[in-house]
């Protein structure tokens, strides 16, 4: 391993994974290793210790993708911190969000130990890391996002897209925007036609890939 970050914070809510990380880090010669199993613990530990590198899961219990906000808060507090996201999520939209929030590398939990060590080494040295396949998928997503920026959505369509992005159901959208359910269905049909999406899953991914 090359020199770089001298202390590390590992944030993950699975004890087995924490132990595995600690073993790998100790084998790599790291001694200043801090651990956190919740978002609150992770942020407090970072605030107190200011480690040079953070390895963070994206999902904590029933808090959904709360690791994304953790990454963003850490990046806001300290721009030089090197952040490696380590997650089971291989959706390029989620990966792109992690990178946009401040992660400098991303590795999947089912990747072999050699891939994790490569990611760790790159990020530790201040470089970015993405598996080749993941990088291609994120690049394709970005290309789609660039094309979508030319789509002319109405203000109402953008409001609906924003609520879809936040995970709202059709009924919830109707209630929040004081619209009839059928009107919401019609608006979403128009959005899908304009965006070239063919299913709700594609529409959700589309909404997450653009700035609304």
């Amino acid at each position: 391993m090359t020199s770089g970050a001298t202390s590390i914070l590992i944030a993950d809510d699975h004890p087995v994974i924490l132990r595995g990380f600690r073993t790998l880090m100790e084998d790599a010669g790291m001694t200043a290793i801090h651990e956190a199993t919740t978002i609150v613990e992770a942020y407090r530990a970072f605030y107190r210790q200011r480690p040079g590198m953070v390895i963070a899961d994206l999902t904590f219990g029933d808090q959904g993708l709360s690791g994304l906000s953790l990454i963003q808060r850490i990046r806001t507090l300290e721009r030089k911190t090197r952040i490696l996201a380590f997650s089971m999520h291989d959706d390029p939209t989620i990966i792109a969000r992690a990178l946009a929030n401040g992660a400098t590398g991303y590795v999947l939990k089912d990747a072999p130990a050699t891939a994790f060590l490569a990611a760790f080494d790159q990020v530790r040295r201040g470089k970015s890391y993405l598996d080749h396949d993941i990088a291609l998928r994120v690049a394709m997503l970005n290309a789609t996002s660039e094309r979508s920026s030319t789509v002319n959505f109405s203000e109402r369509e953008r409001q609906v897209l924003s609520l879809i992005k936040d995970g709202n159901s059709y009924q919830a959208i109707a209630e929040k925007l004081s619209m009839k359910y059928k009107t919401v269905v019609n608006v979403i049909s128009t959005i899908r036609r304009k965006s070239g999406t063919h299913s709700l899953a594609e529409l959700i991914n589309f909404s997450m890939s653009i700035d609304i």
Side-chain angles (χ1 to χ4, degrees):
M1 292 289 175
T2 56
S3 61
T6 57
S7 60
I8 291 180
L9 168 63
I10 306 170
D12 195 293
D13 61 351
H14 295 88
V16 173
I17 291 178
L18 284 176
R19 286 198 297 271
F21 270 136
R22 176 172 284 278
T23 298
L24 286 172
M25 297 301 93
E26 290 174 346
D27 288 346
M30 304 299 297
T31 55
I33 304 170
H34 311 285
E35 299 176 358
T37 58
T38 70
I39 292 295
V40 173
E41 285 180 4
Y43 189 73
R44 286 176 177 171
F46 181 82
Y47 189 83
R48 291 194 306 268
Q49 306 295 336
R50 298 300 174 99
M53 183 172 176
V54 174
I55 301 173
D57 192 0
L58 298 188
T59 307
F60 286 77
D62 59 357
Q63 294 181 294
L65 292 168
S66 53
L68 290 172
S69 62
L70 172 66
I71 291 171
Q72 187 175 48
R73 291 179 69 186
I74 288 174
R75 176 61 68 230
T76 300
L77 188 64
E78 179 54 70
R79 296 187 60 83
K80 293 183 179 180
T81 300
R82 298 147 192 185
I83 305 173
L84 175 62
F86 183 70
S87 174
M88 64 180 181
H89 297 287
D90 64 354
D91 185 330
T93 302
I94 294 175
I95 297 170
R97 286 180 65 188
L99 298 175
N101 281 23
T104 41
Y106 194 104
V107 65
L108 296 175
K109 282 192 172 183
D110 61 359
T114 52
F116 168 75
L117 290 173
F120 169 75
D121 191 45
Q122 285 287 95
V123 173
R124 185 187 181 196
R125 290 189 290 137
K127 298 184 178 182
S128 59
Y129 176 89
L130 278 181
D131 172 82
H132 179 68
D133 179 60
I134 289 178
L136 285 177
R137 293 168 63 195
V138 171
M140 291 176 64
L141 180 70
N142 289 338
T144 299
S145 178
E146 290 176 5
R147 290 196 300 270
S148 69
S149 65
T150 63
V151 179
N152 185 25
F153 291 115
S154 68
E155 181 60 28
R156 177 49 57 89
E157 289 164 353
R158 289 189 176 277
Q159 290 174 337
V160 171
L161 265 174
S162 180
L163 290 172
I164 289 174
K165 183 176 184 177
D166 292 338
N168 290 276
S169 66
Y170 285 22
Q171 185 61 46
I173 293 172
E175 293 173 359
K176 290 182 178 182
L177 297 181
S178 300
M179 297 168 61
K180 293 181 178 179
Y181 183 89
K182 186 176 181 180
T183 302
V184 172
V185 173
N186 290 337
V187 170
I188 290 177
S189 178
T190 300
I191 292 172
R192 285 172 58 179
R193 175 177 54 78
K194 288 183 176 181
S195 63
T197 56
H198 302 93
S199 67
L200 180 58
E202 287 184 9
L203 183 59
I204 292 172
N205 279 341
F206 175 82
S207 69
M208 295 174 68
S209 71
I210 65 173
D211 293 326
I212 303 173

